[in-house]
Amino acid sequence: LRGNSAVLVCNLFGLGHGQETVAGLQQRGATVIEDHTHDPLGPWAVNSAAEFAFASLRKWFPLPDGGVVWSPAGRTLDPGALAPVSVEAVSLSVLAMLLKRLYLSGLDIDKASYLSTRASAESAVEAQGSHAISALSSLMLRAIPVSEWRRRRLLNVEWGIAALAGALGI
C-alpha cells in the first residue's frame, strides 16, 4: 500500500469475517471503505471500525430505490439537503419489479421487457445524481420485519452451504 490508499472491502453474501483484514489494512495506513450490501444489519456492519461503509438497501429488501452510507469511525458525512429520487425513477423501478414478478410467475411477459424497464429506471436514477430515498421506499422499509428477514436469509445461506457440501468443483 502507498500513502493515501483506499481499499474497498466487500462482505460478500453476508458471510464476511473481515474485521481482521480491515484492521490489518488500517495498520498499514489505508482508508477502508466497506460494502455491507449483502448484510447491512449483520455483526460486521454493526461493529465496523472502517472509515466509511455503505449498503444498497434495494438489493437486500424489495425496495424500488435506496441505500445507506455511514461512518463507523465517526467521520462527518454531510450530503446537504438532497431531493428524493424522482417519481419517474421510482415508478419505472416498481414497474420493473412487477414485470419481473409476473415473468417469474409464469405469465407471458417477455424477459427483455422487464430488463429494459429496469435499465430505464437505473438511467433515471443516475441522471438525477445524488438523491435521498423515496417516500415509498422509506415507508416500505419501516414496514418490513427486517430482523426476521435477516434470520431467514441466514438460514437460506446455511442451507445452501450444506446442500453444496462435497459437490465437485466448488
Side-chain angles (χ1 to χ4, degrees), residues 109-122:
I109 301 292
D110 181 36
K111 183 177 182 178
S113 67
Y114 83 75
L115 292 175
S116 173
T117 305
R118 175 83 256 155
S120 295
E122 294 294 331

Side-chain angles (χ1 to χ4, degrees), residues 21-54:
T21 300
V22 169
L25 289 167
Q26 288 173 324
Q27 287 173 354
R28 295 177 64 193
T31 297
V32 176
I33 303 165
E34 295 173 346
D35 177 354
H36 290 285
T37 294
H38 290 156
D39 194 11
L41 302 174
W44 181 5
V46 171
N47 299 307
S48 174
E51 280 79 6
F52 301 99
F54 67 91

Side-chain angles (χ1 to χ4, degrees), residues 71-82:
S71 175
R75 299 250 181 126
T76 301
L77 291 168
D78 183 12
L82 296 175

Side-chain angles (χ1 to χ4, degrees), residues 56 58-59 63-67 83-94 117-134 137:
S56 173
R58 69 177 187 81
K59 292 186 179 181
L63 303 172
D65 68 286
V85 66
S86 72
V87 172
E88 174 194 10
V90 173
S91 298
L92 284 169
S93 186
V94 169
T117 305
R118 175 83 256 155
S120 295
E122 294 294 331
S123 293
V125 169
E126 288 175 18
Q128 186 177 349
S130 296
H131 56 273
I133 192 169
S134 70
S137 289

